[in-house]
Amino acid sequence: MAALQPQPQITTYEQYEAFSKERRIEVFDGQIFDMASPSQEHQTILTELLVAIRNYLRKKGSGCRVFPAPFDVKLFNNPLTVVQPDLMIICDKDKLDGKRCNGAPDFIIEIVSASNPSDDYIRKLYYYKNAGVREYWIVDPRRKLVTVNYFEENMLNIQYSFEATIKVHIYEDLFINFLEIADQL
């Protein structure tokens, strides 16, 4: 069995761009982490969430924008941390430069991959909270659970089933009915 080769340290966004052309990666503190390809179930959930949130933002005339992956978010420059959340809302247009978001989005949803659930539950929770993300949801299709972390009110790890209607806390009147999403699976 061949020994695992150490991954090169990435210190600049330009280095990240060169690597990300060859493979799907994220970078945490300069270390490369490969990303799994999304499943059909993952993409169905992502599409349903994207449409619901986009429709809400349009109806409200909000200046916020919603983006699905792949879209880079550079959380930190030194050490370099670049992620591609499954779904995000960005309200500060100054963070957008045409290629990526520079800094923390207001709201992030990650849909758990069966191959690396700890990335969403542990690693990304830590980085998103420390970067200033206001609200972070973890959608787990295997467990049929949504875990809500509303950092502004220190509400951490509040779990809901896929049968629940869940409030997006950064808005007064945005609710996501997961039963409607589950019906599409």
Side-chain angles (χ1 to χ4, degrees):
M1 182 194 244
L4 291 175
Q5 297 296 316
Q7 297 284 343
Q9 186 80 3
I10 293 183
T11 57
T12 68
Y13 189 78
E14 291 73 27
Q15 290 172 317
Y16 164 80
E17 284 183 311
F19 269 94
S20 67
K21 287 178 181 154
E22 300 168 14
R23 51 198 243 224
R24 297 185 70 232
I25 63 169
E26 291 179 309
V27 178
F28 294 91
D29 291 332
Q31 294 294 312
I32 297 172
F33 291 85
D34 290 301
M35 297 173 61
S37 292
S39 68
Q40 177 180 331
E41 181 177 54
H42 177 284
Q43 294 302 90
T44 299
I45 293 169
L46 177 62
T47 300
E48 294 298 318
L49 289 167
L50 174 65
V51 169
I53 292 170
R54 187 206 62 199
N55 289 345
Y56 171 85
L57 294 175
R58 281 188 179 171
K59 180 179 168 189
K60 287 296 185 179
S62 170
C64 300
R65 305 268 317 265
V66 61
F67 294 94
F71 188 72
D72 288 347
V73 174
K74 184 166 56 166
L75 292 175
F76 303 108
N77 279 320
N78 191 9
L80 184 66
T81 300
V82 180
V83 294
Q84 290 188 0
D86 290 318
L87 192 68
M88 70 198 91
I89 296 173
I90 302 164
C91 296
D92 182 352
K93 289 185 171 78
D94 291 338
K95 290 182 179 181
L96 298 169
D97 68 6
K99 292 175 66 174
R100 66 186 159 271
C101 174
N102 296 289
D106 294 88
F107 178 74
I108 290 178
I109 296 176
E110 292 285 5
I111 302 166
V112 176
S113 167
S115 65
N116 59 351
S118 65
D119 275 4
D120 298 319
Y121 282 105
I122 299 169
R123 184 189 337 264
K124 289 183 179 181
L125 175 71
Y126 170 81
Y127 282 92
Y128 293 161
K129 184 175 191 301
N130 289 323
V133 171
R134 297 169 59 199
E135 187 168 352
Y136 170 45
W137 288 16
I138 304 166
V139 177
D140 192 330
R142 185 178 53 82
R143 296 173 57 210
K144 305 286 187 242
L145 288 175
V146 179
T147 303
V148 173
N149 298 281
Y150 182 41
F151 300 127
E152 289 184 337
E153 297 292 330
N154 207 26
M155 292 172 46
L156 302 177
N157 297 313
I158 310 300
Q159 294 189 333
Y160 299 90
S161 78
F162 269 27
E163 297 174 359
T165 297
I166 306 169
K167 182 180 187 331
V168 177
H169 293 278
I170 66 169
Y171 294 103
E172 290 294 318
D173 57 351
L174 174 54
F175 296 87
I176 305 292
N177 182 340
F178 265 84
L179 192 54
E180 290 177 359
I181 293 171
D183 287 344
Q184 299 302 312
L185 300 178

